[in-house]
Amino acid sequence: MWKNLALTPLTIAIICQGGCTNQPTDKQLEVWRTEAIARNAEIVADNAKKAQQSQWNLVIQGETPTGKSLKLNWQQLQALATNHVKTTDPLDIQHSSDLFDFRGVPVSALLEQFTVANHVTDVTFVSFDSYQTTLNLKDLWRYPITLAIAKNDKPIPRAQGGPLYLVFPYTQYPQLKQKYNATNWAFYVSHIVVGTEPAKLRVGQHEVNLATLDKLPQVTLEQTVGYRISWPSGKVKLYGVRLRDVFNTLKEPLPQQGGVIIRGKAPFYDDAPVRFSTKDLSECDILLVTRWGESRELIPAKMGGPVTLAFSSQCPAKISQSRWVTFVEELTTTP
Ligand SMILES: Nc1nc2c(c(=O)[nH]1)N[C@H]1C(S)=C(S)[C@@H](COP(=O)(O)O)O[C@H]1N2
Ligand SMILES: [Mo]
């Protein structure tokens, strides 16, 4: 605590105690003390913010020949963040005509570390809050679209998309504005998915892939979906398996009093877990969806696939108004 304290009039006053000629008045000491406390609180808050930022990781994964993934910590990101993009920021509404100097890692520099499978056409960015945006792979090679860590030489505050903000060089390449609008500028990016990952879920001690899911009883729903991004509006066909069948088949007992927690890729699921009681699971169909539409296509990353969570319209509102989890990665039981 004390080593964080800035050299303020209070510390000087303490050093001077006894030895200095102009003794401060009690009132002056009280002012200095108040100032020192305020300054100290600022430093502590600032350190907390820095700690939060230094814990930020970026994961890059997806369709690479070996399924290789890469996790970069804050220190590594900082070392890579050497590219400058001078552009307006369409999400900085109060300064919409200002030119900002963003410093960050061009996405192409990250992709260079992979051999991307030939058929891959797009790359999806997933954010802390589960927001997602998908870009054309060719555009990432063609333009210095960048994950920025600094804006005008300062770390980017959370409210402005930090610590890692996907920025487009609008000013240098105005044609990018036609293709990518403000909704593509993703705040607090945590994952980059190249193409679409193969289905791989952790269920308790088990690892489950698409072949395993395909062996379970298949359920079809036709209804409006609750995903935020890139799904058609109106009724959509969804195909998948019931959560309760997944647990039963794997002989993972569902706790009578407790329930299950469903975790997606976005880090905020750790803070705000999506959970259902065992009773909820028996009352209606809560599904892990693996295919959609008339032609039963696999769910691409662009739509939050390969596995998403869905609720039958027969489910009570309290259940179906839960989050429609995208990029489902883990199911665990909870007492
Ligand atoms: N991580 C993240 N990035 C995001 C969003 C979001 O909800 N989360 N919203 C997008 C959309 S739709 C817009 S219009 C702008 C501004 O979003 P806001 O009005 O919610 O700040 O940010 C874009 N980037
Ligand atoms: Mo928006």
Side-chain angles (χ1 to χ4, degrees):
M1 190 80 159
W2 282 104
K3 76 174 192 293
N4 280 337
L5 196 56
L7 196 65
T8 61
L10 176 65
T11 42
I12 293 164
I14 291 167
I15 294 162
C16 284
Q17 246 169 25
C20 306
T21 43
N22 288 329
Q23 288 291 327
T25 61
D26 284 354
K27 194 176 167 203
Q28 184 64 65
L29 272 176
E30 181 54 28
V31 169
W32 285 343
R33 197 181 72 86
T34 312
E35 281 173 3
I37 289 168
R39 176 79 189 114
N40 199 40
E42 243 171 62
I43 292 168
V44 170
D46 202 46
N47 285 347
K49 228 182 272 163
K50 276 188 198 133
Q52 199 182 28
Q53 198 166 55
S54 65
Q55 278 159 25
W56 199 269
N57 295 311
L58 174 70
V59 176
I60 306 154
Q61 55 196 166
E63 286 179 80
T64 59
T66 55
K68 173 182 134 176
S69 74
L70 188 67
K71 187 174 187 169
L72 298 171
N73 64 29
W74 189 247
Q75 214 179 344
Q76 293 168 312
L77 286 169
Q78 253 176 331
L80 290 167
T82 54
N83 184 51
H84 287 261
V85 173
K86 294 207 172 64
T87 181
T88 50
D89 178 349
L91 302 187
D92 198 336
I93 316 224
Q94 267 137 42
H95 311 96
S96 58
S97 51
D98 287 18
L99 207 57
F100 293 101
D101 175 13
F102 287 100
R103 180 171 58 82
V105 197
V107 178
S108 59
L110 298 171
L111 296 177
E112 263 165 20
Q113 313 205 19
F114 289 85
T115 324
V116 174
N118 273 329
H119 63 274
V120 170
T121 56
D122 58 29
V123 174
T124 299
F125 297 78
V126 182
S127 296
F128 186 92
D129 59 347
S130 91
Y131 188 78
Q132 60 173 96
T133 190
T134 300
L135 276 57
N136 188 292
L137 177 61
K138 283 194 186 132
D139 291 331
L140 292 168
W141 291 126
R142 203 175 291 148
Y143 304 103
I145 295 165
T146 289
L147 282 165
I149 67 167
K151 182 176 184 179
N152 288 352
D153 285 327
K154 289 200 205 76
I156 307 171
R158 194 60 177 246
Q160 288 178 42
L164 208 52
Y165 180 26
L166 184 65
V167 303
F168 294 74
Y170 268 10
T171 305
Q172 195 184 352
Y173 303 98
Q175 67 270 33
L176 273 178
K177 263 191 230 191
Q178 259 71 65
K179 202 155 176 186
Y180 300 107
N181 62 27
T183 69
N184 295 110
W185 289 58
F187 286 166
Y188 13 90
V189 173
S190 61
H191 292 75
I192 300 179
V193 182
V194 178
T196 299
E197 293 172 277
K200 192 171 97 181
L201 295 176
R202 282 185 306 281
V203 185
Q205 301 302 312
H206 301 85
E207 198 171 278
V208 172
N209 59 22
L210 185 63
T212 313
L213 294 177
D214 281 350
K215 283 187 203 120
L216 303 186
Q218 301 293 308
V219 178
T220 303
L221 302 177
E222 183 167 4
Q223 60 194 73
T224 309
V225 301
Y227 312 111
R228 183 172 168 199
I229 293 141
S230 144
W231 285 76
S233 53
K235 289 204 164 151
V236 177
K237 279 194 176 150
L238 303 171
Y239 312 88
V241 298
R242 295 180 192 92
L243 277 190
R244 62 167 184 266
D245 291 341
V246 175
F247 282 92
N248 291 340
T249 306
L250 296 173
K251 302 202 163 43
E252 284 275 341
L254 284 166
Q256 281 208 333
Q257 302 304 318
V260 300
I261 290 176
I262 294 94
R263 214 184 299 272
K265 192 182 291 301
F268 92 124
Y269 288 113
D270 294 339
D271 302 340
V274 173
R275 62 188 291 166
F276 302 100
S277 66
T278 298
K279 186 163 163 285
D280 291 338
L281 298 194
S282 66
E283 254 174 31
C284 72
D285 287 343
I286 303 179
L287 298 195
L288 290 180
V289 178
T290 56
R291 293 182 177 80
W292 78 285
E294 291 304 328
S295 52
R296 295 177 178 253
E297 282 177 59
L298 292 168
I299 305 170
K302 189 184 164 66
M303 297 165 85
V307 180
T308 64
L309 186 73
F311 308 95
S312 156
S313 51
Q314 254 96 72
C315 288
K318 134 180 125 51
I319 295 175
S320 56
Q321 279 162 15
S322 292
R323 210 169 256 279
W324 288 55
V325 181
T326 47
F327 301 102
V328 175
E329 296 189 337
E330 189 181 40
L331 312 177
T332 49
T333 55
T334 173

